[in-house]
Amino acid sequence: GAGVSQSPRYKVAKRGQDVALRCDPISGHVSLFWYQQALGQGPEFLTYFQNEAQLDKSGLPSDRFFAERPEGSVSTLKIQRTQQEDSAVYLCASSLGAGGLNEQFFGPGTRLTVL
Amino acid sequence: EDQVTQSPEALRLQEGESSSLNCSYTVSGLRGLFWYRQDPGKGPEFLFTLYSAGEEKEKERLKATLTKKESFLHITAPKPEDSATYLCAVQARSGGSNYKLTFGKGTLLTVNP
């Protein structure tokens, strides 16, 4: 079956622009995660959804970052007024059950470059 | 705060030369330790989950082991296609956020033919 897909794969934004990153999880997966991966670093947790409920947004760097999963499947990560420090790869992961009991499967990521 | 330290940062091997990667961790009660492989330009690919000290798991040329303080990823007779960054992550049992993964920085493995 299909894995986690993300779009766009690459995004270049001018400083101050808003961007929206999309994640299509594996069908039927309850849990959805967003991570941020800077160059040469491991992924860092941003936010967690269980179905449509955002249960944890403690990793979002600032109030410019907003995530939603309105129907419990596709999720969008939005960054307003992008800054150069937002440049990174944004990874989406999904897992079958609730509460992280199962393995998290990652998408290919969206590489965001802010000029 | 949960912490994961991986060593070495980079490792270069000749094809067939076995070695081990280390993952040291501190966590407030381990729920699981995860190994992922990441190829350039791709997302992490799940390899193993280990839950308790003494547990071992194998997959082809890879074997993961776990103690109370660290995990090792042993690579036996590696091939060039094993070249990748190997990431270790922990999941804590306690607290309200026992679903999030805390990752190390990874070990970049290069296997030369």
Side-chain angles (χ1 to χ4, degrees):
Chain A
V4 178
S5 61
Q6 293 186 246
S7 60
R9 291 294 317 279
Y10 304 92
K11 178 68 179 178
V12 178
K14 292 183 179 179
R15 187 162 55 94
Q17 282 185 331
D18 298 348
V19 298
L21 313 180
R22 177 186 168 106
C23 171
D24 284 84
I26 295 172
S27 178
H29 277 199
V30 169
S31 295
L32 185 144
F33 306 81
W34 284 97
Y35 290 83
Q36 180 189 61
Q37 187 173 25
L39 192 63
Q41 304 294 313
E44 290 193 1
F45 172 82
L46 294 178
T47 187
Y48 165 58
F49 289 87
Q50 183 176 309
N51 295 308
E52 69 279 1
Q54 187 176 23
L55 299 186
D56 188 339
K57 54 182 181 179
S58 63
L60 296 177
S62 75
D63 58 9
R64 296 185 295 105
F65 287 70
F66 172 77
E68 61 183 4
R69 193 187 185 198
E71 297 179 359
S73 55
V74 171
S75 177
T76 303
L77 177 66
K78 298 179 179 178
I79 309 174
Q80 298 177 323
R81 303 181 303 281
T82 53
Q83 304 294 315
Q84 285 190 324
E85 61 263 28
D86 300 335
S87 295
V89 175
Y90 291 85
L91 294 164
C92 176
S94 69
S95 67
L96 181 61
L101 285 174
N102 308 100
E103 295 84 3
Q104 295 180 25
F105 296 95
F106 284 81
T110 295
R111 180 177 296 277
L112 173 65
T113 303
V114 182
L115 303 177
Chain B
E1 184 178 334
D2 303 335
Q3 287 192 330
V4 177
T5 303
Q6 293 188 245
S7 62
E9 290 185 5
L11 180 62
R12 190 177 292 272
L13 300 173
Q14 288 297 122
E15 185 171 2
E17 179 187 2
S18 301
S19 187
S20 296
L21 312 183
N22 177 265
C23 171
S24 297
Y25 64 90
T26 55
V27 64
S28 53
L30 182 69
R31 191 183 201 193
L33 184 140
F34 301 78
W35 282 98
Y36 285 85
R37 167 193 172 129
Q38 186 172 29
D39 292 297
K42 296 189 176 181
E45 175 189 346
F46 172 76
L47 293 174
F48 303 109
T49 309
L50 301 168
Y51 294 102
S52 57
E55 188 175 2
E56 299 183 351
K57 287 192 176 174
E58 288 188 65
K59 179 181 179 180
E60 296 181 354
R61 295 176 293 283
L62 300 177
K63 177 179 170 181
T65 62
L66 180 65
T67 73
K68 289 185 178 179
K69 294 184 178 181
E70 58 192 349
S71 176
F72 292 93
L73 185 65
H74 307 276
I75 304 177
T76 302
K79 298 182 177 182
E81 53 262 41
D82 295 323
S83 298
T85 295
Y86 290 85
L87 294 166
C88 173
V90 296
Q91 198 176 49
R93 181 184 301 121
S94 59
S97 56
N98 56 2
Y99 39 76
K100 71 171 70 171
L101 296 177
T102 299
F103 282 88
K105 293 183 178 181
T107 293
L108 175 61
L109 174 66
T110 304
V111 182
N112 296 316

